[in-house]
Amino acid sequence: MAGMGPPPAVADVRRAVRLALDDLAPGSLVLVACSGGADSLALAAATGFVASRAGLDAGLLTVDHGLQEGSDERAAEVVRLAPALGLVPAEALRVRVGGGGGPEAAARDARYAALSEAAGRLGAAAVLLGHTRDDQAETVLLRLARGSGTRSLAGMPARAGLYRRPLLGLGRRTTVAACEGLGLSPWDDPHNLDPRYTRVRVRERLLPALEEELGPGVAEALARTADLCRDDADALDGWADAAYAEAVVRDPAHDPDRDSDRDSAGDSALSDIGGGAGAVTLAVQGLAELPRAVRLRVLRRAAIAAGAPPGALSAAHVLQADRLVTGWRGQRRVEVPGGVGVVRRYGTLVFARQPASPVS
């Protein structure tokens, strides 16, 4: 009937995309990462519709991980569909998946590397990802099981650099219904049903069990938890940034508290780790007065600034460094990843790389 609007699910997805893109200047290029599944296919269709009316250029990227027979042809099918959705240019990106960190992490790393390269090459202002509220709930559960902190429990952000996730406020049922309303046929990746993958077990077993035992709305509640955790983490991170800047000792040689905790263990430990370029020195007194949640963030920043790889720096490492502040008993050096050592000396904590062993 003339004048009738789109099906509700289609309208919901389009509205979410419109809100996600409302800050982009006309003529900007937006790329959709589309696997051909219901979530990303609904996102791709909505982006083509919204972009044409907002004066934006829109294209599509699909990643062929090469992990399944016929994956190249499926990627080609997604590319062939793109012009009908109003998405040009469209490219299939073939990646090589390594083995580090497990198959899920390796595939994710390869995928994001390919998407980032293509976005830079094409001059894209944004890359849209099809993660939904259900994906967010799964992420929160997975991180909760690992004993993660507030920032990790914040889940996936709606925006991170070039990447945007317009559908985090919508459930998977909405994207499936949107595809049905548009006559699109999503591809069901068999990996999404393979119980060897932890996320699949969370999706197919754990979340349904929680819904059955606790009642409906578990995914929505977990997504709300992520939003609340993100607000808290943002506030704590802002406080920690200011506290870090205040705690850094710019000239350790002229620290007025040099004698406050002088001991031979600290002197010998400092000689073991060095203290030159790249070393970070923090005043202990200021650290001790901070709330623990802020202090641990400050110590993590110092370790990373001194050369510790963020991905390898665990909460356990930071807690060991924290004991040099809160449980000082003359301990020797604490070691964290990246060859970085931490010692307490003359009222300060020094984070520095260990000097290279001399060549004999």
Side-chain angles (χ1 to χ4, degrees), residues 1-313:
M1 181 180 298
M4 288 186 62
V10 174
D12 287 344
V13 178
R14 289 175 177 174
R15 185 181 306 111
V17 171
R18 189 178 302 113
L19 290 173
L21 302 181
D22 63 1
D23 64 319
L24 297 182
S28 298
L29 174 62
V30 179
L31 297 172
V32 183
C34 182
S35 67
D39 299 339
S40 61
L41 192 56
L43 175 63
T47 302
F49 180 89
V50 170
S52 65
R53 288 155 178 78
L56 301 171
D57 295 328
L60 177 146
L61 300 173
T62 187
V63 179
D64 174 13
H65 298 87
L67 298 176
Q68 302 175 35
E69 185 177 351
S71 63
D72 55 345
E73 179 54 31
R74 280 190 292 274
E77 289 175 1
V78 174
V79 169
R80 286 193 292 268
L81 177 62
L85 301 178
L87 301 173
V88 178
E91 295 186 11
L93 310 174
R94 181 68 183 264
V95 300
R96 181 181 180 86
V97 177
E104 293 172 282
R108 182 176 61 249
D109 290 346
R111 180 166 61 252
Y112 277 104
L115 292 172
S116 295
E117 185 280 329
R121 172 167 46 83
L122 296 171
V127 177
L128 306 189
L129 305 174
H131 297 116
T132 66
R133 183 172 58 209
D134 298 86
D135 295 305
Q136 186 74 296
E138 295 161 11
T139 298
V140 172
L141 282 175
L142 286 166
R143 294 179 178 179
L144 182 63
R146 292 198 292 263
S148 299
T150 305
R151 171 58 67 191
S152 187
L153 292 180
M156 297 176 288
R159 296 188 181 186
L162 279 175
Y163 294 100
R164 303 186 182 195
R165 297 179 172 91
L167 307 184
L168 284 181
L170 301 177
R172 194 167 288 134
R173 291 179 181 177
T174 300
T175 62
V176 171
C179 288
E180 292 175 353
L182 293 171
L184 298 173
S185 299
W187 172 62
D188 293 323
D189 186 347
H191 279 175
N192 290 335
L193 296 174
D194 189 338
R196 290 178 299 174
Y197 296 103
T198 306
R199 184 175 286 271
V200 172
R201 296 195 297 274
V202 170
R203 178 184 306 138
E204 298 297 323
R205 300 176 184 175
L206 182 55
L207 272 172
L210 289 173
E211 295 272 357
E212 181 178 349
E213 296 296 330
L214 302 177
V218 171
E220 291 87 342
L222 288 168
R224 285 196 303 272
T225 296
D227 290 339
L228 294 171
C229 286
R230 186 173 303 108
D231 290 341
D232 290 349
D234 288 345
L236 289 170
D237 284 346
W239 188 351
D241 287 340
Y244 176 78
E246 187 172 346
V248 169
V249 178
R250 303 298 177 185
D251 186 3
H254 294 89
D255 178 29
D257 296 323
R258 285 180 60 86
D259 296 325
S260 61
D261 56 13
R262 181 172 182 173
D263 75 318
S264 58
D267 286 340
S268 61
L270 186 65
S271 66
D272 289 342
I273 68 168
V280 176
T281 303
L282 303 179
V284 169
Q285 182 177 354
L287 292 175
E289 296 170 354
L290 292 171
R292 181 172 181 267
V294 179
R295 185 174 62 250
L296 293 180
R297 284 169 163 80
V298 171
L299 296 176
R300 178 175 175 82
R301 282 161 173 72
I304 292 171
L313 185 63

